[in-house]
Amino acid sequence: MIIKIRNRNQYEQIMLMIDGYLSKATKGGGFASLSKKESNELQELSLLVEAYEDQILKIMPLPMTITGVVSDKMVELNINQNGLAQLLGLGNSKLSQILNGKRKPDVLFLKAVHEKLGIDGNFILENIAI
């Protein structure tokens, strides 16, 4: 068993092994379909990959912010900031200030984001800086 991923090639090989276990689990109806040995190996390989990604690839989750999610929605909808302002019923300068952190999101913005972009209200409540 490998105890440390030393290069990108090893990383990719281990990712293929993990993918194989995940495919088997999916086809079998869940992780319970894996043998004890397979489950243990999947767990060990996942930890190796996580360490390699953290230390070498520097893959880490980006902080989830309302403005970050709204920016992602702009890309997803293939609209520019002006189009988003129209969709949300906001002025372009107000939207620009909110997205650039120069102005705090207000209730009108948050309500529009929820209703027009379908962003979960719980996410909005949990991530709004008061």
Side-chain angles (χ1 to χ4, degrees):
M1 179 63 144
I2 299 172
I3 59 170
K4 183 177 181 180
I5 299 174
R6 302 195 188 291
N7 57 48
R8 184 67 179 220
N9 189 37
Q10 282 183 337
Y11 170 77
E12 290 172 4
Q13 289 174 345
I14 290 174
M15 289 300 290
L16 287 173
M17 292 170 65
I18 289 173
D19 189 47
Y21 286 132
L22 294 177
S23 293
K24 182 177 180 182
T26 302
K27 289 176 186 171
F31 289 104
S33 65
L34 297 178
S35 70
K36 181 78 170 165
K37 181 181 175 187
E38 291 169 329
S39 292
N40 289 339
E41 188 167 345
L42 175 59
Q43 183 178 8
E44 290 174 20
L45 293 174
S46 297
L47 292 173
L48 288 173
V49 164
E50 182 180 3
Y52 184 80
E53 289 175 346
D54 288 347
Q55 296 167 6
I56 306 300
L57 299 181
K58 306 289 187 208
I59 296 175
M60 64 179 88
L62 298 174
M64 295 289 289
T65 63
I66 293 170
T67 55
V69 171
V70 169
S71 295
D72 287 347
K73 277 286 192 182
M74 284 175 51
V75 172
E76 180 183 319
L77 296 171
N78 195 28
I79 58 175
N80 60 21
Q81 190 170 306
N82 188 38
L84 180 64
Q86 290 176 354
L87 177 67
L88 297 177
L90 303 172
N92 200 14
S93 63
K94 177 180 178 178
L95 179 61
S96 177
Q97 290 171 347
I98 291 172
L99 293 179
N100 290 316
K102 295 179 181 176
R103 182 177 188 164
K104 287 188 177 189
D106 60 10
V107 173
L108 182 65
F109 170 79
L110 297 171
K111 186 175 179 182
V113 161
H114 171 66
E115 291 177 350
K116 306 286 182 169
L117 299 180
I119 295 176
D120 182 55
N122 289 327
F123 171 80
I124 293 171
L125 290 172
E126 291 168 4
N127 290 284
I128 186 69
I130 298 174

